Amino acid sequence: MDTKLIFVTGGVVSSLGKGITAAALGRLLKERGYKVSIMKLDPYLNVDPGTMNPYQHGEVFVTDDGAETDLDIGHYERFIDEDLTKLNNTTTGQIYSAVLDRERRGGYQGGTVQVIPHITDEIKLRIKRAITALSPEIMIVEIGGTVGDIESQPFLEAIRQLKTQLAVHQCCFIHVTLIPYLSASGELKTKPTQHSVKELQSIGIQPDVIVCRSDYPIDRGIRSKIGLFCNVPEENVIENLNARSLYEVPLMLEERGLCRVVLNTLSLEQREPDLRKWSAMVQGDISPEKECNIALVGKYVELHDAYLSVAEALRHSGIANNARVNIKWIAAEDVERGCPEEIFKDVDGILVPGGFGERGIDGMMVASRYAREHMLPYFGICLGMQIAVIEYARHVLGWADAHSTEVDFNAKHPVINLMEDQVNNIERIGGTLRLGSYTCRLEKDSLAYKLYNEEEVHERHRHRYEFNNEFLDAFRASGMKFTGWNPRRGLAEIIELPDHPFFVGVQFHPEFKSRPDAAHPIFRGFIAAALEYKAAGK
Ligand code: GLN
């Protein structure tokens, strides 16, 4: 195996932006012409985050091959601009499942199955398998959690063991830590970092590079102190300040020399990156000329991470339209109770994202109706499309009892219902949704076709219910257009209202495919419509 490995661990506290650091480094390496891939090892016992409540975990990111993954995989895709796979995310749950399954099949031939070596072997196997399948020149491996957590210990032990099997200069350990600022004494403190590095050292890992997250600049004195106590050269202590835009992080880390010291450690050729396009994109993000307000009406809006890719796709569309998109986070239940005229008075578009279950559904329906009746741009994603269909059935077609069978199993007009192959699937909820990339064929005479400018597209899915074709004729007769179809199974993928400036619902999740320098076409069109709505002063 010639691939070089970069391990990224985190210390002191969680939520340091370790994933962003790893992703940004990936971008910097890619801009130098290196073939990069990146994976995340998550220490929790769930097999994947698919069954977790978004409040616990934030969004579930879906890959083309249908893996339900950690939201950091989304950061990776957006930063390194590669479509990742199920190999790029592994959890403790998957590791244990594989080991226990092997044990049940007699695979250990009577041996005692233990964390070391069996669990750690399985971890190493997953890393090697991803490297073999994806064949990058450099594989970045981020270890979830914080050094010192019981859960992440087997992962740290596994990467320590892995190092012993690698050549000199074949791997680089980066430790991302926090340098807190004590306002009472006006000082930046290095002690937590020292402790965290000691903890790493005690399990046999010596970091090569320390990335220091801080609210304030870290001067040379602090860097040399960290270097001295943590056993790394001063130039390998890299400052990582808060950025104005997430996408500015690669540029800041480039300036601080992160990539240079990593390449040194790996004994790889130093090359000049061309960051002009990326910088122009960041500039567009930081100082756009226009702005608009988008209401995001969802169930988990208190935790913005629950809609991370949607928020990022809106940001990308802002960049593409030279505009700042201000998201107005609105709890669907507040719309149920409140007055829509008041709630939506200052917004230029409404987006209803994906979701599961009953809570908030009525509020989303009020939002969808308000957008439809007030010619306000509407974008419904997955559940947001289903909501638009139900609302339309109730108030345009006059079927007051229309519903999705997810919420009302006995609805007389089940306009959204279960796919046949899902009927017996509900008992085992993990990993049984319609997941991953499917083909969608576009009707030529449609807004969707205009936006994509392609007849066939591939979009990622994560849902169980579908538009019920039994009612297709009635919807069509009253004006709703079905402009995107799954050609193999005849499933409705996109709906539009032609007499409306922008009313689009999609059964898939376009947000997962948006990139900062290539906004998703429908998102881009939605923001363009919102800006037009605003300019018309409606
Ligand atoms: N709950 C709906 C379904 O399962 C929508 C899912 C979603 O929005 N991701 O079909």
Side-chain angles (χ1 to χ4, degrees):
M1 181 172 82
D2 299 330
T3 299
K4 305 265 184 178
L5 284 113
I6 299 172
F7 298 110
V8 181
T9 54
V12 182
V13 291
S14 59
S15 306
L16 272 177
K18 194 161 31 99
I20 303 283
T21 304
L25 175 61
R27 182 79 202 190
L28 295 175
L29 291 165
K30 192 174 168 182
E31 292 282 5
R32 285 168 162 83
Y34 287 107
K35 187 173 174 217
V36 184
S37 194
I38 178 163
M39 65 189 293
K40 172 134 195 227
L41 309 179
D42 270 311
Y44 48 73
L45 274 165
N46 303 63
V47 170
D48 62 40
T51 55
M52 279 191 226
N53 184 320
Y55 282 133
Q56 291 269 318
H57 181 267
E59 129 185 314
V60 174
F61 188 82
V62 181
T63 56
D64 272 344
D65 63 350
E68 297 179 279
T69 69
D70 187 78
L71 52 76
D72 274 324
I73 306 301
H75 286 313
Y76 300 167
E77 284 204 355
R78 289 185 284 270
F79 276 81
I80 68 169
D81 192 19
E82 301 277 340
D83 292 331
L84 301 179
T85 69
K86 52 162 104 54
L87 295 170
N88 297 84
N89 192 194
T90 292
T91 64
T92 298
Q94 286 168 22
I95 306 282
Y96 272 83
S97 296
V99 169
L100 294 177
D101 190 48
R102 197 174 299 131
E103 186 271 338
R104 288 290 85 182
R105 284 185 284 110
Y108 294 102
Q109 295 171 350
T112 307
V113 181
Q114 293 175 302
V115 172
I116 303 172
H118 302 105
I119 294 297
T120 48
D121 277 354
E122 182 66 28
I123 295 170
K124 288 185 287 180
L125 184 76
R126 301 253 164 169
I127 298 174
K128 288 179 192 160
R129 193 184 287 161
I131 290 174
T132 308
L134 307 168
S135 58
E137 287 173 274
I138 303 170
M139 175 62 99
I140 302 174
V141 184
E142 180 192 345
I143 319 292
T146 307
V147 168
D149 295 347
I150 289 177
E151 287 84 355
S152 51
Q153 272 176 12
F155 289 109
L156 296 171
E157 168 60 16
I159 61 173
R160 182 198 67 76
Q161 292 174 12
L162 198 51
K163 184 188 160 99
T164 65
Q165 297 165 358
L166 298 174
V168 188
H169 298 303
Q170 202 179 347
C171 72
C172 172
F173 287 90
I174 300 179
H175 192 52
V176 183
T177 73
L178 176 73
I179 309 291
Y181 177 77
L182 285 193
S183 53
S185 57
E187 275 179 302
L188 286 164
K189 301 307 254 180
T190 65
K191 191 76 82 193
T193 296
Q194 294 176 38
H195 280 296
S196 166
V197 170
K198 249 193 210 126
E199 182 98 36
L200 256 186
Q201 289 165 339
S202 73
I203 43 182
I205 294 174
Q206 167 62 48
D208 299 294
V209 180
I210 299 176
V211 173
C212 302
R213 290 278 295 115
S214 169
D215 291 341
Y216 296 94
I218 297 171
D219 64 26
R220 185 142 182 226
I222 297 176
R223 275 185 284 127
S224 85
K225 185 171 171 190
I226 294 172
L228 188 69
F229 281 102
C230 300
N231 215 10
V232 302
E234 177 195 314
E235 62 161 2
N236 288 25
V237 180
I238 305 286
E239 168 193 86
N240 184 1
L241 297 176
N242 299 331
R244 289 169 293 178
S245 148
L246 213 58
Y247 300 114
E248 198 183 16
V249 175
L251 303 177
M252 287 172 42
L253 292 175
E254 175 65 19
E255 239 174 64
R256 296 287 166 266
L258 173 66
C259 210
R260 190 171 41 78
V261 299
V262 167
L263 289 173
N264 265 342
T265 309
L266 294 173
S267 195
L268 283 172
E269 185 192 342
Q270 297 286 352
R271 300 174 189 161
E272 271 310 300
D274 182 358
L275 292 167
R276 278 174 299 183
K277 267 170 92 183
W278 189 268
S279 305
M281 178 273 290
V282 171
Q283 211 43 50
D285 188 21
I286 292 170
S287 45
E289 281 167 11
K290 296 176 271 183
E291 72 180 317
C292 63
N293 300 330
I294 299 297
L296 191 151
V297 182
K299 197 169 151 183
Y300 311 102
V301 289
E302 301 87 339
L303 181 72
H304 296 181
D305 269 1
Y307 304 105
L308 184 66
S309 292
V310 173
E312 288 308 304
L314 286 172
R315 177 195 287 266
H316 307 160
S317 317
I319 298 172
N321 282 288
N322 192 13
R324 166 162 299 113
V325 178
N326 305 310
I327 301 178
K328 190 170 173 188
W329 301 90
I330 298 176
E333 283 162 301
D334 289 347
V335 184
E336 251 161 70
R337 291 185 288 259
C339 158
E341 275 73 17
E342 193 48 41
I343 295 172
F344 299 122
K345 71 172 189 294
D346 55 353
V347 308
D348 309 304
I350 296 179
L351 189 154
V352 176
F356 292 82
E358 187 170 4
R359 185 168 67 82
I361 291 269
D362 289 340
M364 295 175 202
M365 229 134 22
V366 173
S368 173
R369 179 177 193 174
Y370 183 87
R372 182 174 58 75
E373 293 181 344
H374 291 77
M375 295 294 157
L376 181 62
Y378 178 84
F379 189 11
I381 295 177
C382 208
L383 178 65
M385 168 200 163
Q386 299 176 353
I387 291 288
V389 165
I390 301 165
E391 188 282 314
Y392 192 86
R394 289 185 182 183
H395 304 118
V396 179
L397 295 168
W399 303 335
D401 65 343
H403 221 317
S404 161
T405 51
E406 179 176 10
V407 179
D408 179 1
F409 189 72
N410 297 314
K412 280 220 195 63
H413 290 90
V415 289
I416 304 292
N417 74 349
L418 217 49
M419 292 176 281
E420 261 164 43
D421 54 356
Q422 289 282 359
V423 173
N424 298 318
N425 229 342
I426 297 210
E427 288 287 297
R428 214 178 146 84
I429 62 167
T432 57
L433 297 169
R434 181 181 180 214
L435 290 166
S437 182
Y438 286 90
T439 305
C440 170
R441 197 160 290 154
L442 304 177
E443 305 272 321
K444 276 227 154 159
D445 176 26
S446 69
L447 178 57
Y449 178 76
K450 233 193 260 155
L451 293 172
Y452 279 105
N453 200 22
E454 266 174 289
E455 274 174 54
E456 202 172 275
V457 295
H458 303 272
E459 293 285 2
R460 300 181 192 172
H461 292 248
R462 180 171 186 258
H463 61 109
R464 213 181 281 284
Y465 295 81
E466 296 282 350
F467 176 76
N468 184 348
N469 282 334
E470 224 181 277
F471 300 102
L472 181 61
D473 291 342
F475 274 88
R476 275 188 170 148
S478 76
M480 183 174 275
K481 280 174 71 178
F482 294 77
T483 59
W485 288 94
N486 174 302
R488 217 168 55 79
R489 309 212 13 213
L491 301 170
E493 297 280 9
I494 308 179
I495 58 147
E496 295 178 23
L497 291 181
D499 296 332
H500 190 288
F502 190 105
F503 194 99
V504 178
V506 295
Q507 188 56 80
F508 46 81
H509 286 275
E511 68 272 24
F512 296 141
K513 290 188 73 168
S514 189
R515 302 277 159 90
D517 42 4
H520 188 283
I522 305 187
F523 271 94
R524 203 184 55 225
F526 174 55
I527 294 305
L531 289 166
E532 266 172 42
Y533 177 90
K534 184 178 176 183
K538 285 179 197 148

